[in-house]
Amino acid sequence: MAQLHKAPFQPARTSAQILARTQARSRRKAVALAFTLSALGALAIAAAGSLIAPGTAHAQAAPAAGGWPTKPVRIVVPFAPGGTTDILARAMAPELSRAFGQQFIVDNRAGAGGNVGAEIVAKSPGDGYTLLMGTVGTHGINRALYAKLPYDPIKDFVPITMVAAVPNVMVMNAEKAKAQGIANVQDFIRVAKASPGKMNMASSGNGTSIHLAGELFKSMTGTFMLHLPYRGSGPALLDMVAGNADVMFDNLPSSMAQIKAGKLTALAVTSSERSGALPDVPTVEQAGGPTLKGYEASSWFGLLAPAGTPPDIVNRIQQEVAKSLATPAMKERLLAQGAIPGGNTPADFAKHIDNEHKKWAQVVKSSGAKVD
């Protein structure tokens, strides 16, 4: 990764900024009252359903040999329904249910940038009945961003496999972008610099790749947007579509439907190369010119188990996930959503997690990002 350009991080300190934050939070609460968790759950299930091959969701094999599993298995998603973490977990759950003959149930436990859900799994027995859909935030970023974590991302977990890697996408509410004359990244930088702190930046929570992608952008461009952390991409996207939030560096799969519907305008993807799902959308580096040279902030999602989980269970889950991700139907559906299928071995996933921590520690340091 190219050396990052550093600009001072500017947390909200003035009364005007604090008032703006209070007003924004009030608006978020008002919008949230118009939506129920069941609606978010339906959104996630519908999105996940687009990743499941027809006819496979209800087929189940006999219980696997070896005594495991003999009861349902819980997949903890450390964010609210509707985001990419949740979408991928709900896509994998029926595949694993079919393979092992027991239900794999998604359990959303949002909060603290994924730390709440991760802690639950870290403190669960290593018996194969509790898994985590971890992210670059829970296992790559948070170690550098938080002074103290309630779990150890290395000692408390056993990596199983990466499920998917995705770029983030810089999106704006389509109507707000048009009203402000913003059609590309250069326009956005111009408007943001003209009124520092007037624009706000939604994220799925402190420490997520969505948050850090925005902080890196702010650092390299010298812009300032007020950070609005939510409990997942789903709630944040509701405010984006409603026009209560200005910009978001969301995971591509969770924003794709709103981009296609014309509700959100995609200004750029945060990967080093363009996404095949949005071939006409440039990368941040391409759109931003020399100021954003070397910018890259992609995300990944993978299954992990509590420390002490037997290797044979870990390997069997990895094999079934890899088998599912290798099917043409699943590949096609993931790629259409902007996600790159994973399926690597536990050892390779562990190496990837270590490399990602080193990378994001540098991003946190260079951007000056802090937990609000």
Side-chain angles (χ1 to χ4, degrees):
M1 183 173 182
Q3 185 175 1
L4 303 175
H5 301 268
K6 182 176 181 180
F9 179 72
Q10 305 177 52
R13 287 290 183 265
T14 69
S15 59
Q17 290 170 351
I18 293 173
L19 177 61
R21 174 177 296 219
T22 301
Q23 292 173 337
R25 284 176 174 164
S26 297
R27 290 195 300 269
R28 295 205 311 273
K29 290 180 180 179
V31 172
L33 289 175
F35 297 88
T36 65
L37 283 176
S38 61
L40 281 172
L43 171 66
I45 293 170
S50 68
L51 301 179
I52 301 171
T56 64
H58 301 291
Q60 284 196 7
W68 177 92
T70 59
K71 61 182 181 179
V73 177
R74 176 173 62 154
I75 302 177
V76 174
V77 170
F79 298 99
T84 299
T85 317
D86 187 63
I87 290 171
L88 291 173
R90 292 182 187 276
M92 284 292 98
E95 297 292 316
L96 292 171
S97 297
R98 179 176 58 84
F100 290 108
Q102 285 287 348
Q103 289 297 312
F104 280 66
I105 302 168
V106 174
D107 182 10
N108 297 88
R109 297 298 186 96
N115 290 343
V116 171
E119 181 184 10
I120 289 171
V121 178
K123 294 180 179 179
S124 295
D127 55 11
Y129 291 100
T130 303
L131 308 176
L132 175 73
M133 182 61 80
T135 70
V136 63
T138 61
H139 283 75
I141 295 173
N142 289 1
R143 281 186 282 175
L145 191 65
Y146 288 82
K148 185 177 181 180
L149 287 178
Y151 62 93
D152 187 312
I154 301 302
K155 295 180 180 179
D156 292 340
F157 292 90
V158 177
I160 299 175
T161 188
M162 183 187 297
V163 174
V166 304
N168 290 358
V169 58
M170 183 181 180
V171 292
M172 287 193 69
N173 175 283
E175 293 182 0
K176 295 188 78 168
K178 184 177 180 181
Q180 296 180 73
I182 298 175
N184 53 50
V185 172
Q186 293 285 5
D187 289 340
F188 181 89
I189 295 172
R190 171 179 51 79
V191 172
K193 283 189 172 182
S195 303
K198 183 177 181 180
M199 300 182 76
N200 59 53
M201 179 184 78
S203 84
S204 54
N206 285 311
T208 62
S209 69
I210 295 171
H211 172 204
L212 266 292
E215 294 295 348
L216 180 58
F217 181 92
K218 289 161 60 177
S219 172
M220 294 177 72
T221 59
T223 54
F224 173 66
M225 293 88 76
L226 189 66
H227 177 217
L228 302 177
Y230 292 73
R231 293 170 67 87
S233 284
L237 285 171
L238 292 179
D239 262 10
M240 286 291 297
V241 172
N244 295 327
D246 297 313
V247 66
M248 185 175 177
F249 291 76
D250 192 30
N251 302 141
L252 181 53
S254 50
S255 276
M256 182 66 79
Q258 300 299 338
I259 293 171
K260 290 183 176 179
K263 302 291 186 179
L264 298 179
T265 295
L267 299 181
V269 292
T270 67
S271 48
S272 58
E273 298 180 356
R274 295 193 183 206
S275 169
L278 293 174
D280 295 330
V281 177
T283 68
V284 171
E285 181 178 20
Q286 291 170 340
T291 299
L292 287 162
K293 183 175 177 58
Y295 182 101
E296 194 275 333
S298 297
S299 302
W300 53 262
F301 308 82
L303 286 170
L304 302 101
T309 301
D312 64 321
I313 293 178
V314 170
N315 291 331
R316 287 163 64 192
I317 295 173
Q318 183 273 327
Q319 290 163 10
E320 291 299 337
V321 170
K323 187 186 302 182
S324 172
L325 294 174
T327 61
M330 184 64 82
K331 273 186 177 181
E332 181 180 348
R333 286 167 173 77
L334 281 171
L335 292 172
Q337 293 292 319
I340 302 170
N344 57 356
T345 66
D348 287 340
F349 189 26
K351 291 178 183 177
H352 181 77
I353 290 172
D354 184 57
N355 290 335
E356 284 290 279
H357 167 62
K358 294 174 182 176
K359 166 189 167 181
W360 284 102
Q362 178 62 35
V363 172
V364 170
K365 181 179 178 180
S366 298
S367 68
K370 301 182 186 302
V371 175
D372 296 333

